[in-house]
């Protein structure tokens, strides 16, 4: 049905408001998918036409100085106070009105509803780099591409770049050094609370680098990422700065933080008060898992890597049992002499029947508890024998292995630290390879940080088992700021739980990069 045309601007605006009031009250659920889709397409075209009408009115209003009558110094301040817009929205409306004047071809396409306003602004941004006399022709070429159904990215983007390169080659810059370097300027002010406001002019090279940073680190992290474009750009800049500095705080001396290390030997630790109880607790656990470093992928990773040798080990309980047997045999305590004939051979081998075999104090086979105590004693003695200043592990490694495995070894336990040692960080990166967010995230390790599943404040260890890679968005924004909790299960699956109780689950072992089953992390909640 053809709509009746209004006779003047006031009637047109009244009809517009009446139409919008009607559309705002529609029960869209009852319209069905077909009706909803048709309405959305029509509203999109109407929005493009509204953009043209609003831009034309705003341009005329600014040119006539209409804002002065209301006591405002500019059209932007008028929009903020009279139209109740935010400062950012007022700026965008003013800029878009100016773009419509500079791009009449795009303005005509918007008025006819051929393209959306967001597409028009992107085409305008690409062609704003061209000389003014080349803009209309370039806009027409890009519009023809949209009419042909080409996608904005990457096809039309590549076409815009090709146009720019062609025009630039035909019209070389008369001042090739005018890339904004002389006018470069960045200023930042801070509030009493420490928040900052950044403004400035970037050189062409700096602008290109910043654009790449924002595109790389400012991507949407998924359906649960509710940040706006500006917030993502802010977080991207922060992430890049953190990576550039390589530390949470600014380095304090010559680009490197001052660090003091307290080093002590295992022998010194064993001599301290309470060492015996700690040693008994360790012996009682009898736990240890081997690492992994094999196969073509490991060889490729180690080809250009800085190799750091580390000697590790775990008790061989069979050897320990044999040690106990040798000890008991040497003391004649392997046989139950009470079961032997008085005239038969004794534990010492004699048959006289008058000797004191076994020696006084050793009365036949040991009970299970006594034998276990003996085995622990022997193991503790073995540890002390091997952990001196020139212990056997270091001697064997330095004597038997060639370069690069015969250098100085690393400290195996550094306790609670303010940061994660490089050798542990590299091992976590080698294992995980990318962000471990349960909902799926392909951010590479270069954009990730190791996260303590159990926080250090709660006694969480800086260890392979307690560390997993998470990208800067999921680590800083989701986990630490929004309060999501991560749970790793023994089967390799992971859950992310929001403060409201929403659960995002991973698939079994999907993208875990965990190596052999024995290396999978145990389930541990975090916050």
């Amino acid at each position: 049905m053809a709509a009746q045309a209004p006779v003047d601007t006031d009637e047109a605006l009244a009809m517009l408001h009446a139409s919008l009031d009607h559309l705002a009250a529609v029960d869209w659920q009852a319209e069905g998918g077909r009706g909803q889709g048709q309405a959305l397409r029509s509203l999109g075209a109407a929005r493009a036409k509204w953009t043209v009408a609003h831009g034309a009115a705003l341009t005329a209003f600014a040119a006539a100085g209409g804002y002065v009558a209301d006591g405002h110094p500019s059209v932007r301040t008028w929009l903020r106070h009279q139209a109740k817009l935010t400062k950012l929205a007022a700026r965008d409306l003013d800029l878009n009105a100016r773009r419509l004047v500079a791009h009449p071809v795009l303005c005509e396409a918007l008025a006819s509803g051929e393209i959306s306003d967001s597409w028009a602004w992107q085409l305008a941004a690409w062609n704003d780099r061209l000389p003014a006399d080349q803009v209309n022709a370039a806009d027409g070429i890009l519009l023809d591409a949209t009419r042909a159904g080409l996608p904005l990215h990457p096809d039309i983007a590549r076409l815009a770049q090709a146009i720019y390169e062609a025009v630039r080659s035909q019209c070389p810059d008369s001042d090739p050094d005018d890339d904004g370097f002389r006018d470069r300027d960045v200023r930042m002010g801070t509030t009493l609370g420490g928040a900052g406001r950044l403004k400035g002019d970037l050189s062409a090279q700096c602008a290109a680098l910043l654009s790449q940073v924002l595109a790389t680190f400012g991507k949407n992290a998924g359906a649960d990422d509710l940040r706006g474009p500006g917030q993502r750009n802010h977080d991207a800049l922060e992430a890049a700065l953190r990576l550039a500095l390589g530390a949470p705080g600014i380095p304090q001396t010559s680009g490197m933080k001052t660090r003091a290390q307290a080093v002590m030997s295992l022998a010194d630790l064993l001599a301290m008060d309470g060492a015996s109880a700690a040693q008994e607790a360790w012996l009682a656990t009898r736990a240890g898992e081997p690492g992994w470093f094999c196969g073509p992928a490991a060889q490729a990773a180690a080809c250009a890597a800085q190799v750091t040798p580390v000697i590790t080990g775990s008790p061989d309980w069979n050897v320990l049992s044999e040690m106990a047997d040798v000890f008991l045999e040497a003391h004649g305590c392997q046989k139950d002499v009470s079961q032997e004939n008085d005239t038969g051979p004794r534990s010492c081998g004699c048959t006289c029947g008058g000797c004191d075999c076994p020696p006084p104090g050793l009365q036949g086979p040991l009970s299970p508890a006594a034998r276990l105590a003996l085995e622990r004693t022997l193991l503790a003695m073995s540890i002390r024998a091997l952990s001196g200043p020139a212990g056997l592990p270091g001697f064997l490694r330095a004597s038997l292995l060639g370069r690069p495995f015969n250098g100085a070894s690393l400290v195996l336990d550094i306790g609670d630290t303010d940061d994660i040692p490089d050798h542990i960080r590299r091992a976590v990166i080698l294992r995980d390879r990318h962000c471990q967010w349960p909902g799926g995230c392909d951010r590479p390790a270069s954009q990730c940080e190791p996260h303590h599943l159990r926080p250090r404040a709660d006694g969480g260890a800086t260890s392979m088992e307690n560390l997993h890679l998470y990208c800067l968005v999921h680590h800083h924004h989701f986990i630490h700021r929004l309060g999501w909790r991560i749970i790793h299960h023994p089967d390799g699956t992971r859950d992310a739980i929001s403060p409201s109780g929403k659960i995002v689950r991973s698939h079994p072992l999907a993208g875990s990069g965990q190596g052999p089953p024995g290396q999978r992390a145990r389930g541990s909640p975090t916050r």
Side-chain angles (χ1 to χ4, degrees), residues 209-236:
L209 291 174
L210 181 58
S211 297
Q212 188 173 0
V213 166
L214 300 182
T216 302
F217 295 100
K219 296 178 181 177
N220 189 289
D224 296 309
D225 190 352
L226 304 181
R227 300 173 300 163
Q231 293 173 323
R232 292 202 303 272
N233 287 341
H234 170 278
D235 295 347

Side-chain angles (χ1 to χ4, degrees), residues 90-452:
R91 184 205 67 180
D92 289 343
L93 280 178
D94 184 31
L95 290 177
N96 291 339
R98 297 172 188 268
R99 284 174 177 168
L100 291 175
V101 175
H103 297 268
V105 176
L106 297 180
C107 182
E108 183 179 350
L110 276 170
S112 62
E114 284 189 273
I115 59 173
S116 66
D117 53 352
S118 61
W119 273 49
W121 306 145
Q122 180 60 78
L123 300 183
W126 283 331
N127 288 338
D128 280 340
R129 302 174 295 175
L130 305 178
D133 59 346
Q134 300 286 340
V135 168
N136 288 344
D139 286 346
I141 294 174
L142 298 187
L143 276 176
D144 288 340
T146 63
R147 296 184 182 108
L150 295 180
L152 191 63
H153 293 282
D155 293 350
I156 298 180
R158 291 173 178 171
L159 179 59
Q161 183 63 25
I163 294 174
Y164 171 72
E165 296 294 342
V167 173
R168 185 178 182 182
S169 64
Q170 296 174 2
C171 304
D173 193 348
S174 58
D175 184 7
D177 295 330
D178 185 18
D179 58 355
F181 185 77
R182 293 181 180 178
D183 298 327
R184 70 193 187 282
D185 180 70
V186 172
R187 302 174 186 269
M188 188 181 76
T190 56
T191 65
L192 294 177
R197 179 174 179 80
L198 188 68
K199 65 177 181 178
D201 296 307
L202 306 181
S203 66
Q205 182 178 6
C206 183
L209 291 174
L210 181 58
S211 297
Q212 188 173 0
V213 166
L214 300 182
T216 302
F217 295 100
K219 296 178 181 177
N220 189 289
D224 296 309
D225 190 352
L226 304 181
R227 300 173 300 163
Q231 293 173 323
R232 292 202 303 272
N233 287 341
H234 170 278
D235 295 347
L237 180 59
E238 180 181 0
L241 293 175
R242 285 182 180 274
L243 289 175
L245 292 175
I250 298 177
Q252 299 168 357
T253 55
S254 301
M256 185 177 298
K257 292 197 296 183
T258 302
R259 183 181 302 278
Q261 288 186 336
V263 181
M264 64 179 64
S265 69
L266 180 58
D268 292 335
L269 288 174
L270 290 173
M272 296 177 63
D273 293 338
S276 297
Q279 180 176 283
E280 286 297 319
W282 179 84
L283 292 172
T285 61
R286 299 174 54 140
E289 293 181 352
W292 61 275
F293 194 79
C294 57
Q299 295 177 8
C303 179
Q306 182 181 27
V307 178
T308 302
V310 178
I311 299 298
T312 62
S314 58
D316 187 335
W317 304 108
N318 293 328
V319 173
L320 183 60
S321 180
E322 294 175 5
M323 291 170 60
D325 290 340
V326 171
F327 177 87
L328 295 174
E329 183 72 26
H331 290 78
C333 200
Q334 282 296 81
K335 299 180 181 179
D336 187 352
V337 297
S338 65
Q339 300 296 325
E340 297 179 353
N341 191 302
D342 289 342
T343 60
R346 307 303 293 269
S347 59
C348 63
C350 69
T351 58
C352 66
C355 65
D356 291 328
C357 305
L362 296 179
Q363 303 298 325
L366 301 182
S367 66
R371 183 182 175 91
L372 179 59
L374 173 62
E375 292 184 355
R376 290 186 176 181
T377 301
L378 292 174
L379 180 58
M381 295 172 65
S382 301
I383 292 173
R384 289 197 294 272
L386 296 176
S387 60
L392 179 62
F395 176 77
L396 291 177
R397 176 177 53 76
S399 301
L400 302 179
L401 301 182
R403 291 179 58 86
F405 302 105
N406 57 357
S409 62
L410 288 175
V411 181
L412 298 180
D413 183 1
I414 59 173
D416 187 20
T417 63
D418 290 334
D419 54 11
I420 300 171
D422 289 343
H423 59 285
I424 295 180
R425 188 184 299 269
R426 285 194 294 266
V428 173
I429 290 173
L430 182 65
R431 181 194 65 196
D432 289 350
R433 297 191 292 276
H434 58 77
C435 178
Q436 298 296 292
W437 184 253
C441 180
D442 59 356
R443 300 286 176 89
S446 60
Q447 300 178 25
C448 297
E449 294 177 336
H451 167 66
H452 288 76

